[in-house]
Amino acid sequence: MFKDLFRSKPKYVTVRPQKQTDHLEHSEKKEIPGGLWIKCDKCSNILYKKDLEKSLYVCPKCGFHFVISAKERITLLVDEGCFSEFDSEMKTIDPLSFPDYLEKLQKYQEETGMKDAIITGLGKIKGQEVVLAAIDYNFMRGSMNTVVGEKIVRAFELAREKHLPVTIVSGGGGGARMQEGVFSLMQMARTCQAAELHSKKNLLFIAVLTQATMGGVYASFASMADIILAEPGALIGFAGPRIIQQTMKQNLPEGFQTAEYVYKHGHIDRIVPRPFLKDTLANLIAWHRR
Amino acid sequence: MFKDLFRSKPKYVTVRPQKQTDHLEHSEKKEIPGGLWIKCDKCSNILYKKDLEKSLYVCPKCGFHFVISAKERITLLVDEGCFSEFDSEMKTIDPLSFPDYLEKLQKYQEETGMKDAIITGLGKIKGQEVVLAAIDYNFMRGSMNTVVGEKIVRAFELAREKHLPVTIVSGGGGGARMQEGVFSLMQMARTCQAAELHSKKNLLFIAVLTQATMGGVYASFASMADIILAEPGALIGFAGPRIIQQTMKQNLPEGFQTAEYVYKHGHIDRIVPRPFLKDTLANLIAWHRR
Amino acid sequence: MANTLVLDFERPIVELEKRIEELKSFAKERNLDLSEEIDNLQNRSERLKREIYSNLTSWQRIELVRHPQRPTAEELIELIFDDFYELHGDRLYGDDPALIGGIALLNGEPVTVIAPQKGRDTKENLERNFGLPHPEGYRKAIRLMKQAEKFNRPVITLVDVVGAYPGIEAEERGQGPAIAEAITVMGALRVPTIAVITGEGGSGGALALAMGNRVLMLENAYYSVISPESASIILYKNDDFAKEAAEKLKIGSQDLLEMKIIDEIIPEPLGGAHKDRVSMGRFIKEALERNMNILKGLPQEKLVSARYERFRAFGKVKEDKL
Amino acid sequence: MANTLVLDFERPIVELEKRIEELKSFAKERNLDLSEEIDNLQNRSERLKREIYSNLTSWQRIELVRHPQRPTAEELIELIFDDFYELHGDRLYGDDPALIGGIALLNGEPVTVIAPQKGRDTKENLERNFGLPHPEGYRKAIRLMKQAEKFNRPVITLVDVVGAYPGIEAEERGQGPAIAEAITVMGALRVPTIAVITGEGGSGGALALAMGNRVLMLENAYYSVISPESASIILYKNDDFAKEAAEKLKIGSQDLLEMKIIDEIIPEPLGGAHKDRVSMGRFIKEALERNMNILKGLPQEKLVSARYERFRAFGKVKEDKL
Ligand SMILES: [Zn+2]
Ligand SMILES: [Zn+2]
């Protein structure tokens, strides 16, 4: 039922948090195995799944933020029933005819119920209209391809037309998607330009960097936001930590490329634990209303 | 005769380089003692004064750049006879009635033949009109007071009105001048604003940082230039090296706050030895002509 | 006044208050009625306070603004604004704890607030580098000023900074250029700007945040091109004459108001801001609201040109011909 | 070809040329007239060269652009422009030797030129960090781009960069944000921008300098979201399949022209740019002048909107309803 709602044509729909688990069992297998009990990736405590749900998938023992899907993210942020999705049927044309790519996509589409790695739409956060986008780490590691790029560009364009703020939750571990080659690279250009046109109208853009925001996602729209928030512990950077370690042949500093580390180096405004995210966004949006 | 020319009302005057020594004996005593021979501050070689004059007061043995006066600087940069000074009679009102200040000023005025630490005017560099200012290190260490500030502001204003580039040679070792207190501080504000208004008209400003450019001079107009050149070895910084050493109780790195050091740290476009300065300015101005 | 540092010139007050307390104890112990004498002494004490605190020398005021209990920027922000959401980082190199900034609500209206932040004790002061910003602090300020301009939000700065930080890295990363840029950017903002010198207004570090359409100043604060100690060293080769230098440099609020360097003095509670924080916050808030109401009525162009004119005026010179 | 690295696929040419030389020596030694045979062989050699160099695989082209004698940015600038005055520093942190920029004259007209700079030998490469910019390199580029815009000067970039630098400090100082800002700034410039991919066009590091109104590309250059080696690792868990990946990713100039990612291919001398530097410079100069003449006729607004449209077009998707 959750999925049906999301697939419906743009209109305000009810997204019920209590139905989330249906979806979780599909997409979050690695992070949150099925069954009643879940082991925390960080502290290894065994957690009761219902408790974890209530705590918004933040480990009650150690504060570890489990990866959540784009749908869950939107459910978490928008007022109940206040989200209408854009472009839900948009799919890639596979511009390079890259071998095995379409098969791979199909597998992810079936697993996640999404056509590609992003959901965009118009939502309300505490009564305030906002154009909202969430990248889904579980869909090919949230990598940016033509669909992700085009949906972000259109989201900014709509926001510009309607004079609305934009919030993007960017969990894109894979950066640019290899299988669409240079077209994925071009999405860095396009999303930067879209963010810039929006910005030139003096409209607000808030980026929420979640596990993980790397490569082409970080090096484009995500770091051009007016205000950059991040979830605790999220991996954030351009080059991947393993590549750096291999190339430099030296150990990485403690906590390298975590949200906390990047914050200390001046690239993030605030680290916001998940339970405070909606209120924070609501306040920031309210303070930028004209 | 040299002095008379400079004191005349704004008009194009001939400034003859060969007459420089008259003035040097007055103002450059510490750097270049009278007599036929001069000892280089850096390499301690004994130099024949006539040779040093020919080499533009750059030590032929080690390249050390001797401090030269504002008049000599202008003579060195403008086409022969092509300089008309502005505001040559401008003097401070001693806004704080600071004890012993006027007496001190009088001593410097007599020594240098200048009313205060700066010369501004309209000159031609290889046939191109430019508003030119040179701070004189020998006049109270080139410190910025109301006169220096006001003359710089007026220079920028004239340049803005006439759509001309501005070049300032900033040898201001003393930063803001203590004896005019907060009014000296305000000159940082005023010169920054003047430079900004000039800049907003898309007009060119080139700063030439010479021995020494410190404190309030460096932390205002001098670092707001489109292109920042520096003479080799010039001391450039905000806080003085002795204060830093005393406060930090640690040795300063080799070459700390030299032009070369500051260049390496990204704050200077080029280091230009004195003999190349006129050509460099001429080219840069030509390339920015419209 | 428990746990509060007593300054030299405050000793007579403290002594007298101690006597009164002793007399009260004595009266109670012996069951004597000394209420008239005690009342007299208390009146005397009030008069003494007013007398002492109303006739402070420049140096005594400096001692007051350097008082360890003087409210820091964070405390003042808490007292003045309804809400404050701190934003961090210069987006270039680091987040400087010596300078804080963010969005606050002044009477429900969003404003951007920027302020150097001293520590309240040694540990905090080490974290905050004694409220002395590095270039990344000024660059955070510049970023937040531009953000404020983008969203048409006024900028309020609270300035309490000894001066530039004499550090190797601060020089390497260009504190001179960073200060120049902050002056230039704040000086050209198309939104109302109000600077409040709340304590020490030290040279370029203070000016970087003081390009206000209005520059207000707390009664005991100072604003100077150079610290009195450094001036003394230059004039007398040692810092024994800092008190004299403080007078000569005319760095107190009354002198600066007369010279029109500042626009308004915000009174402090008797004995200094730390003696009554709540009132201090109220006084500042009142002054900010009053000035903001005037500035908010001005069009952007006028805000910019008025600010230019404000500073353009500090160039009075003599131009007699010989 | 003395001292020049011979690539595998060039061996037949080199062998044949060696034979010809031997035959010439032999003829001379023995005083035989073998001129006809030698002429034939030389014709054969020419045909062979054309045949080999005209049918290079993607991988062979990559080998060519990675050739140690491939002209670097400095060499190309010297060949293309009448004059070049390098400007240094990001005005924030440092001067990055891996990226050069400054004012040059293209046919007497000032332009701003920006380019990553590889070294010509190991020593230079260590100094230049193999042409891999740090954040301060991108920020120098941003500064020079804004300077160019201020003075209405076109921007020309020469792009030869393997990709992002996988270094700790580059991450700490924000190479992600620096690249994003360079993309954004160059993408919005109100002056003509032309990017020339001259060698390796590696991912975000290349795109940061490739937001041209026109994107030109040298015949053998490549432009890719990922290096073929890395793609091979992702697809096959090791880098043995880089050649296949290079084909699949369609990163060569012909493919990119067909996909309209680039606007024009600049031909290289037979055997690659390093075989005839002077001609290479001439070809690039000719292409720059021709394109610049068109762009200089456009009003600023049009330059900006045309650039937006150029990149806006790379978002073709399917939108069938289920
Ligand atoms: Zn846990
Ligand atoms: Zn010497």
Side-chain angles (χ1 to χ4, degrees):
Chain A
M1 194 249 184
F2 189 88
K3 281 180 198 168
D4 289 342
L5 283 173
F6 254 98
R7 281 210 191 120
S8 63
K9 302 227 158 95
K11 65 175 181 192
Y12 285 104
V13 295
T14 307
V15 176
R16 295 205 198 116
Q18 64 271 26
K19 286 280 180 190
Q20 281 182 8
T21 40
D22 292 355
H23 168 64
L24 275 180
E25 277 159 6
H26 282 289
S27 70
E28 314 279 351
K29 270 180 216 134
K30 281 158 213 158
E31 288 78 14
I32 308 171
L36 289 170
W37 301 94
I38 291 153
K39 192 176 166 183
C40 173
D41 287 359
K42 193 175 166 199
C43 70
S44 298
N45 272 302
I46 306 296
L47 308 169
Y48 187 45
K49 203 161 155 183
K50 292 272 175 200
D51 288 348
L52 194 58
E53 245 181 86
K54 271 184 228 146
S55 68
L56 312 177
Y57 299 97
V58 176
C59 172
K61 309 281 184 186
C62 74
F64 175 74
H65 281 54
F66 286 81
V67 167
I68 60 174
S69 71
K71 289 180 194 179
E72 286 165 318
R73 176 66 67 180
I74 284 165
T75 308
L76 208 125
L77 292 180
V78 299
D79 303 341
E80 203 174 320
C82 294
F83 186 74
S84 72
E85 194 182 351
F86 307 148
D87 308 312
S88 61
E89 298 303 317
M90 191 189 288
K91 287 196 284 192
T92 181
I93 59 166
D94 183 14
L96 301 188
S97 305
F98 202 89
D100 308 326
Y101 179 40
L102 290 177
E103 292 71 25
K104 198 162 198 166
L105 276 176
Q106 203 179 348
K107 197 190 100 211
Y108 280 101
Q109 284 162 352
E110 283 164 12
E111 251 178 47
T112 63
M114 298 168 71
K115 293 281 175 288
D116 215 301
I118 192 170
I119 294 175
T120 59
L122 190 64
K124 277 192 182 173
I125 298 181
K126 299 211 164 182
Q128 305 169 109
E129 272 202 318
V130 54
V131 170
L132 195 62
I135 295 179
D136 199 310
Y137 185 73
N138 298 303
F139 194 107
M140 295 191 80
R141 306 187 73 215
S143 53
M144 184 154 68
N145 67 339
T146 43
V147 173
V148 172
E150 179 66 12
K151 283 173 88 164
I152 288 175
V153 169
R154 289 192 193 179
F156 273 113
E157 284 175 349
L158 184 97
R160 184 155 52 106
E161 197 184 292
K162 294 193 173 242
H163 296 273
L164 288 175
V166 171
T167 294
I168 305 186
V169 185
S170 69
R177 191 176 301 165
M178 184 187 64
Q179 290 87 347
E180 299 189 25
V182 76
F183 286 94
S184 293
L185 186 66
M186 290 301 120
Q187 305 317 311
M188 292 171 66
R190 302 175 72 240
T191 56
C192 279
Q193 287 189 322
E196 173 73 358
L197 285 175
H198 181 257
S199 178
K200 277 194 176 142
K201 294 270 179 203
N202 295 349
L203 296 165
L204 177 67
F205 168 30
I206 302 173
V208 183
L209 312 188
T210 60
Q211 175 69 5
T213 303
M214 299 296 291
V217 171
Y218 185 49
S220 63
F221 67 92
S223 51
M224 293 312 293
D226 298 297
I227 295 171
I228 301 182
L229 309 176
E231 280 196 342
L235 192 75
I236 297 163
F238 188 59
R242 244 164 290 159
I243 294 166
I244 296 173
Q245 198 159 26
Q246 279 166 17
T247 318
M248 298 291 103
K249 290 174 181 41
Q250 68 177 109
N251 286 332
L252 302 178
E254 171 102 18
F256 184 65
Q257 290 184 328
T258 57
E260 292 74 13
Y261 194 91
V262 178
Y263 164 81
K264 209 189 90 202
H265 282 90
H267 305 293
I268 289 174
D269 280 290
R270 295 280 286 236
I271 293 175
V272 184
R274 197 171 290 164
F276 301 109
L277 190 56
K278 181 170 179 170
D279 281 354
T280 299
L281 289 174
N283 280 342
L284 288 173
I285 291 166
W287 295 347
H288 287 82
R289 251 167 143 172
R290 269 97 63 88
Chain B
M1 194 250 184
F2 189 89
K3 282 181 199 168
D4 289 343
L5 284 173
F6 254 97
R7 281 209 193 119
S8 63
K9 301 225 161 96
K11 66 176 183 192
Y12 284 104
V13 295
T14 306
V15 176
R16 295 206 199 115
Q18 62 271 25
K19 287 278 178 191
Q20 281 182 7
T21 39
D22 293 354
H23 168 64
L24 274 179
E25 276 158 5
H26 282 289
S27 71
E28 312 280 350
K29 270 179 216 131
K30 280 159 213 156
E31 287 79 15
I32 306 171
L36 288 172
W37 301 94
I38 291 153
K39 192 175 168 185
C40 173
D41 287 358
K42 193 176 166 196
C43 70
S44 297
N45 272 301
I46 307 295
L47 308 169
Y48 187 45
K49 204 163 155 182
K50 293 270 174 202
D51 288 348
L52 193 58
E53 246 181 84
K54 269 184 229 146
S55 67
L56 312 176
Y57 299 97
V58 176
C59 172
K61 308 281 183 187
C62 74
F64 174 74
H65 281 53
F66 287 79
V67 167
I68 59 174
S69 70
K71 289 179 194 179
E72 286 165 318
R73 178 66 67 179
I74 284 165
T75 309
L76 208 125
L77 293 180
V78 299
D79 303 342
E80 202 175 321
C82 293
F83 186 74
S84 71
E85 194 181 350
F86 307 149
D87 307 313
S88 60
E89 298 303 317
M90 191 187 288
K91 287 195 284 192
T92 181
I93 58 166
D94 183 14
L96 301 188
S97 305
F98 202 88
D100 308 327
Y101 179 41
L102 289 178
E103 292 69 26
K104 198 163 199 167
L105 276 175
Q106 203 179 347
K107 195 191 99 209
Y108 280 102
Q109 283 162 353
E110 282 164 14
E111 251 179 48
T112 64
M114 298 168 70
K115 292 282 174 289
D116 215 302
I118 192 170
I119 294 174
T120 58
L122 189 65
K124 277 193 182 174
I125 299 180
K126 298 212 163 180
Q128 305 169 109
E129 272 202 319
V130 56
V131 171
L132 194 63
I135 295 178
D136 198 311
Y137 185 73
N138 298 304
F139 194 106
M140 294 192 79
R141 304 186 73 214
S143 53
M144 183 154 69
N145 67 338
T146 43
V147 174
V148 172
E150 179 66 13
K151 283 173 88 163
I152 289 175
V153 169
R154 290 193 193 178
F156 273 114
E157 284 174 349
L158 184 98
R160 185 153 51 102
E161 196 184 294
K162 294 194 172 241
H163 297 274
L164 288 175
V166 170
T167 294
I168 306 186
V169 185
S170 68
R177 190 178 300 167
M178 185 187 62
Q179 290 87 345
E180 298 189 25
V182 75
F183 287 94
S184 292
L185 186 66
M186 290 301 119
Q187 306 317 311
M188 291 171 67
R190 302 173 73 240
T191 55
C192 280
Q193 287 188 323
E196 172 73 358
L197 286 174
H198 181 257
S199 178
K200 276 194 177 142
K201 294 269 180 204
N202 295 348
L203 295 166
L204 177 67
F205 168 30
I206 303 173
V208 183
L209 312 187
T210 60
Q211 174 71 4
T213 302
M214 298 296 291
V217 172
Y218 185 48
S220 65
F221 68 92
S223 52
M224 294 309 294
D226 299 299
I227 295 170
I228 301 181
L229 309 175
E231 280 198 342
L235 192 74
I236 296 161
F238 189 58
R242 245 165 287 159
I243 295 166
I244 296 174
Q245 197 159 24
Q246 279 165 18
T247 319
M248 298 291 104
K249 291 174 179 40
Q250 67 176 110
N251 286 331
L252 301 178
E254 170 103 18
F256 183 66
Q257 291 184 326
T258 57
E260 293 73 12
Y261 194 90
V262 178
Y263 163 81
K264 210 190 89 201
H265 283 90
H267 305 293
I268 289 173
D269 280 291
R270 295 279 286 238
I271 293 175
V272 183
R274 197 171 290 164
F276 300 111
L277 190 56
K278 181 171 181 172
D279 281 353
T280 299
L281 289 174
N283 279 342
L284 287 173
I285 291 166
W287 294 348
H288 286 82
R289 251 167 142 172
R290 267 94 65 84
Chain C
M1 261 200 232
N3 281 329
T4 297
L5 171 78
V6 175
L7 302 170
D8 270 348
F9 61 87
E10 294 178 315
R11 279 193 203 291
I13 303 167
V14 175
E15 304 270 309
L16 188 56
E17 284 183 344
K18 205 175 145 199
R19 291 280 154 84
I20 295 170
E21 287 310 307
E22 281 168 6
L23 201 61
K24 277 184 186 169
S25 301
F26 174 81
K28 204 177 166 190
E29 222 170 78
R30 303 287 171 100
N31 210 14
L32 292 172
D33 181 7
L34 296 176
S35 57
E36 200 174 324
E37 288 80 354
I38 290 170
D39 277 358
N40 278 343
L41 278 172
Q42 275 176 335
N43 285 338
R44 180 71 204 283
S45 165
E46 284 308 306
R47 278 209 310 282
L48 185 67
K49 274 191 203 172
R50 218 162 294 135
E51 198 181 310
I52 287 178
Y53 288 129
S54 308
N55 291 288
L56 296 176
T57 64
S58 296
W59 185 254
Q60 286 166 342
R61 288 179 192 274
I62 291 174
E63 288 184 298
L64 266 189
V65 299
R66 288 178 181 170
H67 194 287
Q69 263 88 28
R70 181 110 180 146
T72 68
E74 270 184 352
E75 290 165 306
L76 290 177
I77 288 171
E78 170 110 28
L79 290 163
I80 299 166
F81 300 99
D82 312 335
D83 208 339
F84 177 60
Y85 194 74
E86 193 179 345
L87 300 172
H88 291 268
D90 64 350
R91 301 266 173 103
L92 296 164
Y93 182 85
D95 180 52
D96 190 344
L99 185 142
I100 62 174
I103 308 173
L105 298 184
L106 178 66
N107 250 350
E109 292 285 314
V111 295
T112 287
V113 177
I114 297 167
Q117 174 64 34
K118 290 180 176 172
R120 272 156 296 206
D121 51 39
T122 308
K123 185 175 160 279
E124 270 190 24
N125 259 324
L126 289 174
E127 280 168 22
R128 299 284 187 183
N129 197 36
F130 298 85
L132 296 167
H134 271 72
E136 42 276 22
Y138 298 112
R139 293 190 181 120
K140 172 163 64 177
I142 291 165
R143 176 173 84 84
L144 295 179
M145 287 174 190
K146 289 183 178 171
Q147 187 188 76
E149 185 174 50
K150 175 176 175 182
F151 295 109
N152 202 24
R153 201 153 59 212
V155 172
I156 293 171
T157 57
L158 304 178
V159 182
D160 182 14
V161 60
V162 177
Y165 179 63
I168 292 169
E169 292 203 4
E171 291 293 315
E172 288 180 346
R173 296 201 289 276
Q175 68 177 335
I179 288 171
E181 196 182 342
I183 293 170
T184 306
V185 168
M186 188 172 177
L189 284 181
R190 298 171 64 81
V191 291
T193 57
I194 303 180
V196 188
I197 319 260
T198 63
E200 303 191 82
S203 81
L207 180 64
L209 302 172
M211 298 297 291
N213 284 100
R214 293 282 189 282
V215 180
L216 318 181
M217 195 163 171
L218 266 52
E219 190 181 340
N220 295 314
Y222 76 85
Y223 189 18
S224 178
V225 71
I226 188 170
S227 76
E229 288 87 346
S230 300
S232 168
I233 289 170
I234 292 174
L235 288 171
Y236 309 101
K237 313 293 171 213
N238 65 57
D239 62 3
D240 300 346
F241 298 88
K243 294 179 194 185
E244 280 91 327
E247 300 290 343
K248 286 177 185 163
L249 286 166
K250 298 184 178 162
I251 63 182
S253 57
Q254 198 55 51
D255 276 333
L256 293 169
L257 185 68
E258 279 160 27
M259 300 189 297
K260 294 187 174 152
I261 296 288
I262 63 163
D263 302 292
E264 184 176 328
I265 296 173
I266 301 175
E268 293 191 27
L270 200 66
H274 62 291
K275 291 282 165 66
D276 180 357
R277 284 152 199 272
V278 173
S279 299
M280 189 71 264
R282 193 157 39 82
F283 297 163
I284 300 175
K285 186 177 185 182
E286 182 279 320
L288 286 175
E289 282 173 7
R290 185 164 32 75
N291 282 284
M292 195 60 82
N293 281 338
I294 299 166
L295 294 175
K296 286 191 91 169
L298 300 177
Q300 287 190 337
E301 295 299 335
K302 180 68 190 159
L303 283 168
V304 178
S305 64
R307 201 183 304 111
Y308 278 122
E309 290 314 314
R310 186 191 187 286
F311 288 90
R312 181 78 186 78
F314 302 128
K316 240 179 109 185
V317 289
K318 269 198 286 209
E319 300 189 74
D320 322 327
K321 304 290 169 200
L322 279 182
Chain D
M1 264 201 231
N3 281 329
T4 297
L5 172 79
V6 175
L7 301 170
D8 270 349
F9 62 86
E10 294 178 315
R11 278 193 203 291
I13 303 166
V14 175
E15 303 270 308
L16 188 55
E17 283 182 343
K18 203 174 147 201
R19 289 282 154 82
I20 295 170
E21 287 311 306
E22 280 168 6
L23 201 61
K24 278 184 184 167
S25 301
F26 177 80
K28 201 176 169 191
E29 221 171 79
R30 303 288 171 99
N31 211 12
L32 290 173
D33 180 8
L34 296 176
S35 58
E36 201 176 324
E37 287 81 355
I38 288 169
D39 277 359
N40 278 342
L41 278 171
Q42 275 175 334
N43 286 338
R44 181 71 203 285
S45 165
E46 284 308 307
R47 277 208 312 280
L48 184 65
K49 275 191 203 170
R50 218 162 294 135
E51 198 181 310
I52 287 176
Y53 288 128
S54 309
N55 291 289
L56 296 176
T57 65
S58 296
W59 186 254
Q60 287 165 342
R61 288 179 192 274
I62 291 174
E63 288 184 298
L64 266 189
V65 298
R66 289 178 180 170
H67 194 287
Q69 262 88 28
R70 181 109 181 147
T72 68
E74 270 186 350
E75 290 164 307
L76 290 176
I77 288 170
E78 168 110 29
L79 291 163
I80 299 166
F81 300 99
D82 312 336
D83 209 337
F84 177 60
Y85 194 73
E86 193 178 347
L87 300 172
H88 292 268
D90 64 351
R91 302 265 173 104
L92 296 164
Y93 182 85
D95 181 52
D96 189 345
L99 185 141
I100 61 174
I103 307 173
L105 298 183
L106 178 65
N107 250 352
E109 291 286 315
V111 294
T112 286
V113 177
I114 298 167
Q117 174 64 34
K118 290 180 176 173
R120 272 155 295 206
D121 51 39
T122 309
K123 183 175 161 282
E124 269 192 24
N125 260 323
L126 289 174
E127 280 168 22
R128 299 283 188 184
N129 198 36
F130 297 87
L132 295 167
H134 272 72
E136 43 275 24
Y138 298 112
R139 293 189 181 121
K140 171 163 64 178
I142 291 164
R143 176 173 84 84
L144 295 179
M145 286 174 191
K146 289 182 177 172
Q147 187 188 76
E149 185 174 50
K150 175 175 176 183
F151 296 108
N152 202 24
R153 200 155 60 213
V155 172
I156 293 171
T157 58
L158 304 177
V159 182
D160 182 13
V161 60
V162 177
Y165 179 62
I168 291 169
E169 292 203 5
E171 292 291 316
E172 287 180 346
R173 296 202 290 276
Q175 68 177 334
I179 288 171
E181 196 182 343
I183 293 170
T184 305
V185 168
M186 188 172 177
L189 284 181
R190 297 170 66 81
V191 290
T193 58
I194 303 179
V196 188
I197 319 258
T198 63
E200 303 191 81
S203 80
L207 180 65
L209 302 172
M211 298 297 291
N213 283 100
R214 294 281 190 284
V215 180
L216 318 181
M217 196 163 170
L218 265 53
E219 191 182 339
N220 295 314
Y222 76 86
Y223 190 18
S224 178
V225 71
I226 188 170
S227 75
E229 289 87 345
S230 299
S232 168
I233 288 170
I234 291 173
L235 288 171
Y236 309 102
K237 314 294 171 211
N238 65 57
D239 64 2
D240 299 348
F241 298 88
K243 294 179 192 185
E244 280 92 325
E247 300 290 345
K248 286 176 186 164
L249 286 167
K250 298 183 179 161
I251 62 181
S253 58
Q254 199 54 51
D255 277 332
L256 292 169
L257 185 68
E258 280 160 27
M259 301 189 295
K260 295 185 174 149
I261 297 289
I262 63 162
D263 301 292
E264 184 176 329
I265 297 172
I266 301 174
E268 294 190 27
L270 201 65
H274 62 290
K275 292 282 164 67
D276 180 357
R277 283 153 200 270
V278 174
S279 299
M280 187 72 263
R282 193 157 38 81
F283 296 162
I284 299 174
K285 187 178 184 181
E286 182 280 321
L288 285 175
E289 283 173 4
R290 185 164 33 74
N291 282 284
M292 195 59 83
N293 281 338
I294 299 166
L295 294 175
K296 286 190 92 168
L298 300 178
Q300 288 190 338
E301 295 298 334
K302 180 69 191 159
L303 283 169
V304 178
S305 65
R307 200 183 304 111
Y308 277 123
E309 290 314 315
R310 186 190 187 285
F311 288 91
R312 181 76 186 79
F314 303 128
K316 240 180 110 184
V317 289
K318 268 197 288 209
E319 301 190 72
D320 321 328
K321 305 289 169 200
L322 279 183

